[in-house]
Amino acid sequence: GRLVQEIHGQPRIIYTSSTSVYGDVTGVVDESTPIEPVTTSGQMVAQVEERLRDELGKNTFVVRLGGLCGGGREPARYLSGRKNVQHPAAPINFVHRADVIGVIMGLVNTETKGDTFNVVAPIHPNRKAYYAARTELLGLTPPQFSDIPGSGKEVNSNKVMDVLDYAFIYPDPLEFPVTS
C-alpha cells in the first residue's frame, strides 16, 4: 500500500517483473499468455503487477525479465560440475543487463502509455548447448544433463522490439560477453 501511495503522482512507473509469472507452461509464450506462477516469488511479482495496474492503470509499465546475465552474473557458474541437471532440451530465456537498461531507457523516452513487455534475448539455445558452451568458454566443468530431454517455455520478446523499435544489443545468450 505504502509504495503505491508514494509513487501515485509520478508520470510513469516501470516495474521490473519476471518471466516466472508464466509458470511451468511449455511452448512459446508472449504478453497475451495467461500467467500461472507456481513459485512463491513468481506469485509475489504477479500480485505486484496486478496491484500496480489496478491502482495506477496506464501509468504502469511491467517489464518481465528473463534470467539476468552480465555484471558478474553468469548462470554457467551455478551449474558447473552438477550432475543429472534436468530439461536439457528446454530453451534458455536469458537477457543481458545492457538490454534491460536499453529497454528501460526506451520506456522512459516513449510516448506509449503503460503496457507489459517481455524482455528476453530473442535467440533461445537449449539448456544443454548453452551450458556446454559457456562452461567451456569460462574454463569450468560442464554440467551433466539428464537423458530425459524435458521441455519448457520460450519467452517471446517481439512486442518490445516492435513497439519500442528496440534492437537487442546481445540477441544471442551464447554470445553474451564474459564478465567477472
Side-chain angles (χ1 to χ4, degrees):
R2 184 175 171 85
L3 172 67
V4 172
Q5 291 168 0
E6 288 181 9
I7 63 179
H8 194 27
Q10 298 297 315
R12 197 171 303 243
I13 303 303
I14 301 171
Y15 175 60
T16 54
S17 182
S18 168
T19 58
S20 67
V21 298
Y22 294 114
D24 291 336
V25 298
T26 59
V28 178
V29 299
D30 64 19
E31 294 83 352
S32 68
T33 303
I35 61 173
E36 300 177 26
V38 293
T39 64
T40 302
S41 61
Q43 292 165 354
M44 290 173 65
V45 295
Q47 288 172 1
V48 173
E49 280 187 19
E50 182 178 354
R51 179 114 187 250
L52 286 171
R53 272 197 216 88
D54 288 348
E55 297 202 21
L56 300 172
K58 287 295 185 181
N59 288 332
T60 302
F61 287 98
V62 173
V63 180
R64 292 179 178 155
L65 304 178
L68 189 59
C69 299
R73 292 178 67 114
E74 177 61 68
R77 288 192 174 98
Y78 306 125
L79 289 188
S80 174
R82 291 215 184 152
K83 297 188 181 352
N84 198 35
V85 176
Q86 301 299 304
H87 308 292
I92 288 290
N93 294 293
F94 289 154
V95 63
H96 193 276
R97 78 174 186 169
D99 283 308
V100 174
I101 293 166
V103 168
I104 290 172
M105 294 305 296
L107 290 172
V108 166
N109 294 311
T110 188
E111 296 300 317
T112 303
K113 290 291 186 189
D115 207 342
T116 299
F117 297 101
N118 291 331
V119 182
V120 176
I123 297 173
H124 304 271
N126 71 44
R127 286 169 50 90
K128 186 173 184 177
Y130 173 83
Y131 285 105
R134 293 302 286 194
T135 52
E136 181 179 349
L137 185 64
L138 294 162
L140 301 171
T141 305
Q144 294 177 10
F145 281 87
S146 162
D147 291 334
I148 302 165
S151 58
K153 64 183 170 280
E154 178 180 305
V155 180
N156 179 301
S157 286
N158 287 347
K159 183 177 174 183
V160 77
M161 292 186 283
D162 294 343
V163 173
L164 295 182
D165 195 26
Y166 185 77
F168 277 80
I169 300 164
Y170 300 111
D172 186 349
L174 289 173
E175 297 179 4
F176 286 176
V178 174
T179 58
S180 55

